[in-house]
Amino acid sequence: MMQGRGTPPRPMPGSPGGIARGMMLLGRGRRDGMGCFSATPDAVLTALAPRVALWLVGGLLTVAQAPTLLSGAKILFSLCLVLAPVVLTQLLARLWAREALWPRYMAAALWCDWLVLFVMLAVITIVAVLVPAGIGVEHSVLILNGVIFAYNLWLTWFVAWVGLALSMWRALVLVLVIASVIMELGVLSSMLPPHYSPWQDFLALPSAHATR
């Protein structure tokens, strides 16, 4: 007996197709996307690998262009951006008795971070239309960064809420902890020599080093 045409089988959790599907679902606020990711330590390492590779390449290019202490500070701060969420969320998951859920959550969170790039491309397209319409470049950059920042915060909150089975308030606490630690690291970086201020890069503002 021939089987009728049915829906195509869903990709296996942790497979490239499953990861892509999970990203698209979570990025649109669909909690069922969490099941598309594997719940193993290897899944976390696989999700972390592209970020570490990108950090290594970026670090080498930064040093090659300007082998200075400021470049070293940029590389060190960017490494903190990569590792801080991993370390902090694991500590919070242990504190809230969510350790068993953490590997799947972390894999999903790391992969979903790449969605911000797609949002950025979409916003850049909109900004490219707004600039000729009379909005200044500085205002356009602020709009771009504001939208990306807001979406990133929401996505971080949503993935934590779903992936770690937290209350809405605990998920918000997780987001605030990550944001606070990163901000404190930025303040510390700007206070200590060579006084690298990452927020000037984020806001595309002229730095004090450029004006000297």
Side-chain angles (χ1 to χ4, degrees), residues 58-104:
L60 290 174
L61 291 176
T62 300
V63 171
Q65 292 177 355
T68 62
L69 288 177
L70 185 63
S71 296
K74 290 181 179 181
I75 295 170
L76 183 59
F77 184 79
S78 63
L79 180 62
C80 291
L81 292 181
V82 172
L83 297 181
V86 179
V87 175
L88 293 172
T89 56
Q90 188 176 40
L91 292 175
L92 290 174
R94 184 178 303 172
L95 177 65
W96 293 331
R98 297 293 193 275
E99 288 181 273
L101 300 176
W102 183 82
R104 187 191 301 273

Side-chain angles (χ1 to χ4, degrees), residues 13-163:
S15 66
I19 291 171
R21 184 173 186 273
M23 290 170 62
M24 294 300 104
L25 290 173
L26 290 174
R28 303 199 315 267
R30 294 275 302 276
R31 59 188 307 152
D32 51 327
M34 189 60 63
C36 298
F37 299 91
S38 295
T40 63
D42 285 345
V44 177
L45 294 177
T46 301
L48 187 60
R51 297 170 66 95
V52 174
L54 189 63
W55 171 78
L56 286 172
V57 173
L60 290 174
L61 291 176
T62 300
V63 171
Q65 292 177 355
T68 62
L69 288 177
L70 185 63
S71 296
K74 290 181 179 181
I75 295 170
L76 183 59
F77 184 79
S78 63
L79 180 62
C80 291
L81 292 181
V82 172
L83 297 181
V86 179
V87 175
L88 293 172
T89 56
Q90 188 176 40
L91 292 175
L92 290 174
R94 184 178 303 172
L95 177 65
W96 293 331
R98 297 293 193 275
E99 288 181 273
L101 300 176
W102 183 82
R104 187 191 301 273
Y105 152 74
M106 195 69 254
L110 289 169
W111 284 118
C112 285
D113 277 348
W114 295 100
L115 290 173
V116 178
L117 294 178
F118 295 100
V119 173
M120 182 175 66
L121 291 175
V123 176
I124 287 175
T125 303
I126 297 174
V127 168
V129 176
L130 294 178
V131 170
I135 296 182
V137 175
E138 291 186 1
H139 288 88
S140 300
V141 171
L142 290 175
I143 292 173
L144 171 64
N145 288 326
V147 171
I148 294 171
F149 185 67
Y151 180 76
N152 198 9
L153 285 179
W154 172 82
L155 187 62
T156 303
W157 172 85
F158 180 75
V159 175
W161 176 49
V162 174

